[in-house]
Amino acid sequence: MKLLIDTQGGDKAPIAMLNAVQMAKKENNSLDFVLFGDKKEIEEALGADAKNYEIIQTEDVITNEDEAALSIRKKDKASIVLASKYLVEHDDADAFISAGSTGALLAAAMLIVKRIDGFKRASIPTFLPGLKGPTLLLDSGANVDCEPEFIYEFAKLGSKYVEKLLGIQNPKVALVSNGAEAKKGNELTKKAHEILKNSELNFIGNIEANEILTTEADIIVQDGFVGNVILKELEGMSKVFVGNVKNFIMKDEKYFSSDEMKMSFMKDLMSLMGLTKYGGSPVLGVNKAIIKAHGNSDEKAFYLAIKNTVDFVNSGVIEYLKEN
């Protein structure tokens, strides 16, 4: 499997990405990596190991301050652009992973890699840890401004994704609103509710924000603005919750008799909260695998993004979307 790596995107680039690549290569030598970035910087960081990788020199850098679609055209020697073109031009390239600008990555996915026929928008899904199992959130930030039809497409993409990845037939879809009644919400939400209600999807109605982690729905949908706010709020709440629990158990010996037991409990808790399980999310609805890693990814998080990418490619989700 050949994976393309953006070594320029992300707060901890390039070292976190390069360390993660080396970890993944050591674990699975069948993986081939193509590294996009400053060749001299990459070679200095990898040392003698650099000979084991194909390195593509970049001349431009796209930042979060750049206007997404414009930057793809003006900075055509940036890692996101060059890797996206490589992905299209090389049949043996399986996926591209980046912790860089979400907007630029989505623009490259739409303009270079192109949408799967039948879809107007691509979407970034995120699995949330729920009491009844993982729940898929779409959109989690790719499409801030939406039409009601786009939210239906997110639900359709999510349904096919969950069907293929988790084996759930006829998955349940819910729409996030400020009330359970169909009349609640802004105009976008009310119109999206009407479309979903009359669609072929298994739509179970609106849910409120306090139901997101307890809902029976397999997929929850909203526009990318609301979705990203939900995601960031849950990330913050998770950190506060885990931090408070850690401070609590570390102070009192009556709960755990050893530091080893405490650390084991914290590891299990973080896994349960989903803080260490998912390192990246695919851009759904485009012709090849593009994975968005968190902008603040350290080497462990980016390593998880690589592992999740391998699983995503092997799952055959993109082929399934094309066929269906």
Side-chain angles (χ1 to χ4, degrees), residues 13 65 70 74 76 90 120 138-139 154 158 178 184 187 223 230 235-236 247 263-265 282 318:
E65 284 71 39
L70 185 61
K74 293 187 67 175
D76 59 351
H90 294 75
K120 296 179 181 178
L138 295 102
D139 178 55
F154 302 158
N178 63 337
K184 288 293 184 73
E187 285 303 308
D223 65 59
I230 291 171
E235 286 177 351
N247 291 337
M263 295 308 296
S264 177
F265 171 78
I318 292 178

Side-chain angles (χ1 to χ4, degrees), residues 14-140:
I15 299 302
M17 291 74 209
L18 297 176
N19 288 346
V21 163
Q22 288 181 300
M23 289 166 60
K25 183 71 173 176
K26 184 176 180 180
E27 182 181 85
N28 184 355
N29 194 50
S30 68
L31 295 178
D32 291 323
F33 293 95
V34 183
L35 310 177
F36 293 79
D38 185 316
K39 187 173 183 178
K40 182 179 179 182
E41 189 176 34
I42 292 171
E43 288 176 340
E44 289 177 351
L46 292 177
D49 198 29
K51 66 181 184 296
N52 296 317
Y53 302 94
E54 180 181 353
I55 303 172
I56 306 295
Q57 175 67 42
T58 60
E59 305 297 338
D60 299 317
V61 178
I62 295 175
T63 70
N64 288 324
E65 284 71 39
D66 288 321
E67 197 281 319
L70 185 61
S71 66
I72 296 301
R73 295 184 174 91
K74 293 187 67 175
K75 296 186 174 182
D76 59 351
K77 301 299 182 184
S79 53
I80 286 177
V81 179
L82 292 178
S84 297
K85 289 180 177 178
Y86 189 107
L87 189 64
V88 172
E89 294 166 358
H90 294 75
D91 291 339
D92 63 338
D94 294 291
F96 169 40
I97 311 171
S98 175
S101 164
T102 300
L105 190 65
L106 184 68
M110 298 279 282
L111 297 173
I112 300 172
V113 181
K114 307 292 186 182
R115 299 185 302 272
I116 295 172
D117 288 343
F119 292 105
K120 296 179 181 178
R121 282 288 184 275
S123 178
I124 297 179
T126 302
F127 277 109
L128 304 178
L131 285 179
K132 300 178 182 179
T135 302
L136 190 68
L137 167 68
L138 295 102
D139 178 55
S140 40

Side-chain angles (χ1 to χ4, degrees), residues 114-278:
K114 307 292 186 182
R115 299 185 302 272
I116 295 172
D117 288 343
F119 292 105
K120 296 179 181 178
R121 282 288 184 275
S123 178
I124 297 179
T126 302
F127 277 109
L128 304 178
L131 285 179
K132 300 178 182 179
T135 302
L136 190 68
L137 167 68
L138 295 102
D139 178 55
S140 40
N143 301 276
V144 175
D145 297 309
C146 285
E147 299 293 332
E149 293 79 9
F150 298 167
I151 294 180
Y152 159 71
E153 281 205 354
F154 302 158
K156 187 177 179 181
L157 275 170
S159 293
K160 296 300 181 184
Y161 184 42
V162 167
E163 281 177 8
K164 183 62 176 174
L165 198 67
L166 302 182
I168 298 174
Q169 297 303 310
N170 200 27
K172 298 175 181 177
V173 177
L175 175 65
V176 179
S177 185
N178 63 337
E181 302 87 351
K183 64 181 181 180
K184 288 293 184 73
N186 56 15
E187 285 303 308
L188 171 67
T189 302
K190 287 187 282 189
K191 289 179 180 178
H193 180 104
E194 188 67 18
I195 293 173
L196 289 166
K197 183 181 71 174
N198 294 310
S199 75
E200 78 285 7
L201 303 175
N202 187 9
F203 180 57
I204 63 172
N206 291 353
I207 62 169
E208 296 185 72
N210 60 351
E211 301 173 87
I212 287 172
L213 298 183
T214 60
T215 180
E216 64 180 36
D218 303 296
I219 301 138
I220 59 174
V221 291
Q222 247 301 347
D223 65 59
F225 178 81
V226 173
N228 194 254
V229 170
I230 291 171
L231 183 60
K232 296 296 173 61
E233 176 65 19
L234 291 177
E235 286 177 351
M237 288 176 61
S238 296
K239 290 177 182 178
V240 171
F241 176 73
V242 171
N244 284 338
V245 171
K246 181 179 179 180
N247 291 337
F248 184 74
I249 67 171
M250 289 300 181
K251 291 177 181 178
D252 200 325
E253 296 294 332
K254 70 180 179 181
Y255 297 103
F256 297 94
S257 59
S258 69
D259 288 342
E260 184 178 353
M261 291 177 65
K262 293 176 182 177
M263 295 308 296
S264 177
F265 171 78
M266 289 305 303
K267 184 178 179 180
D268 289 344
L269 178 62
M270 290 179 70
S271 178
L272 181 66
M273 294 294 292
L275 297 180
T276 60
K277 189 175 182 180
Y278 304 109

